[in-house]
């Protein structure tokens, strides 16, 4: 059973047999099925079933000779239409399945951001048709099985503007350092030493979450899972049409990135409000938009 199914409102399904029955029911109607022929003997099919607006289960498999859909794997998804990054994205196929991972060298985060590509069917379609995989932008979303609401750090508008300017300057320095600018590397090193010194002094007297405004850190052994703290800038409440469970769809700003995070209402500790912060571990997925559409 997929760990993040509860995120989209399927917390009642605890056993593989229950999930198999659910998937069988969702795949009874083959309307909307997408299919591409990989070679003479094999094909790839995708069925998506929404259980709430922009949220559902994607099922992949193969159509056999008798025209029957043979399911191979599935995963829950949360769709986002908000652009997160315009940085060029590298795409790599996973080893065991016809799925893909995206990699962003995003200066705002300071790490190579790896995520599970939600429109993998389109990626495979482009590869078969020999279309380029040049990306225009990426829309990211995350699924969380648990999370907490933190109070915001009190800031004036002047402090917010100073933080935005400092972030832009740091991004410029990071880009220059990546291109081999030694002065930029030295400046960044000195800034990091000063920042570490300031944080070490403040943590002796202040709470950690009053010092750290937001964070974006790899978490665990899987490369597409992250521990985040981000400011809630929009809240959407959705209801799973099958289980009637309620789900939050947060729009977050974290390390100057905008992305969505979904979490079940029962799995969230605290009362979410715009301006407050969300803290949790997420499985990052995203939609890659390509520069050239497939004709």
């Amino acid at each position: 059973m997929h760990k993040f199914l509860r995120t989209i409102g399927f917390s009642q399904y605890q056993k593989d047999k229950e999930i198999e029955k659910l998937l069988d029911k969702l795949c009874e109607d083959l309307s909307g099925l997408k299919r591409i022929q990989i070679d003479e003997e094999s094909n790839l099919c995708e069925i998506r079933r929404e259980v709430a607006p922009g949220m559902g289960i994607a099922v992949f498999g193969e159509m056999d000779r008798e025209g029957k859909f043979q399911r191979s794997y599935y995963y829950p998804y949360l769709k986002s239409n908000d652009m997160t990054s315009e940085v060029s994205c590298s795409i790599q196929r996973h080893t065991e399945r016809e799925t893909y991972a995206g990699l962003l060298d995003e200066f705002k985060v300071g790490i190579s951001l790896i995520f599970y590509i939600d429109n993998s069917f389109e990626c495979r379609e482009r590869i078969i048709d020999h279309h380029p995989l040049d990306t225009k932008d990426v829309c990211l979303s995350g699924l969380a099985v648990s999370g907490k609401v933190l109070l915001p750090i009190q800031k004036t508008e002047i402090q917010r503007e100073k933080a935005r300017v400092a972030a832009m300057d740091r991004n410029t320095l990071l880009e220059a350092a990546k291109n081999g600018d030694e002065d930029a590397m030295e400046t960044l090193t000195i800034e990091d030493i000063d920042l570490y010194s300031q944080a070490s002094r403040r943590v002796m007297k202040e709470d950690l979450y009053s010092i750290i405004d937001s964070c974006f850190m790899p978490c665990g052994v899987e490369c597409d899972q992250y521990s985040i703290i981000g400011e809630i800038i929009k809240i959407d409440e959705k209801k799973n049409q099958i289980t009637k469970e309620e789900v939050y769809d947060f729009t977050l700003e974290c390390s100057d990135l905008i992305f969505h995070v979904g979490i079940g209402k029962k799995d969230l500790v605290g009362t979410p409000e715009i301006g407050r912060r969300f803290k949790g571990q997420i499985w990052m997925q995203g939609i890659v938009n390509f520069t050239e559409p497939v004709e």
Side-chain angles (χ1 to χ4, degrees), residues 1-5 8 10 19 23 26 45-49 55-60 71-79 94 97-100 116-122 141 143 283-287:
M1 189 184 79
H2 202 288
K3 176 183 175 182
F4 292 93
L5 267 181
I8 62 170
F10 288 107
I19 296 298
L23 294 174
L26 294 177
C45 298
E46 178 195 54
I47 299 174
R48 285 181 180 259
R49 293 290 179 260
M55 186 182 291
I57 297 177
V59 185
F60 289 80
R71 187 171 62 248
S72 299
Y73 59 94
Y74 70 96
Y75 64 86
Y77 69 87
L78 171 63
K79 190 176 180 181
H94 288 131
R97 291 175 179 166
E98 197 66 56
T99 55
Y100 295 83
Y116 189 97
I117 293 181
D118 187 28
N119 56 330
S120 59
F121 189 89
E122 183 182 355
S141 56
L143 301 181
W283 173 46
M284 185 63 77
Q285 54 182 225
I287 295 174

Side-chain angles (χ1 to χ4, degrees), residues 155-170 213 256:
K155 291 181 180 179
T156 64
E157 192 56 41
I158 294 173
Q159 289 174 319
R160 290 178 181 274
E161 185 59 34
K162 282 183 178 180
R164 281 194 287 267
V165 172
M168 289 172 63
D169 291 343
R170 182 173 175 80
D213 190 4
D256 292 328

Side-chain angles (χ1 to χ4, degrees), residues 176-189:
K178 187 179 179 182
N179 294 327
D181 189 329
E182 292 185 3
D183 290 337
M185 294 180 194
E186 187 176 345
T187 303
L188 285 168
T189 302

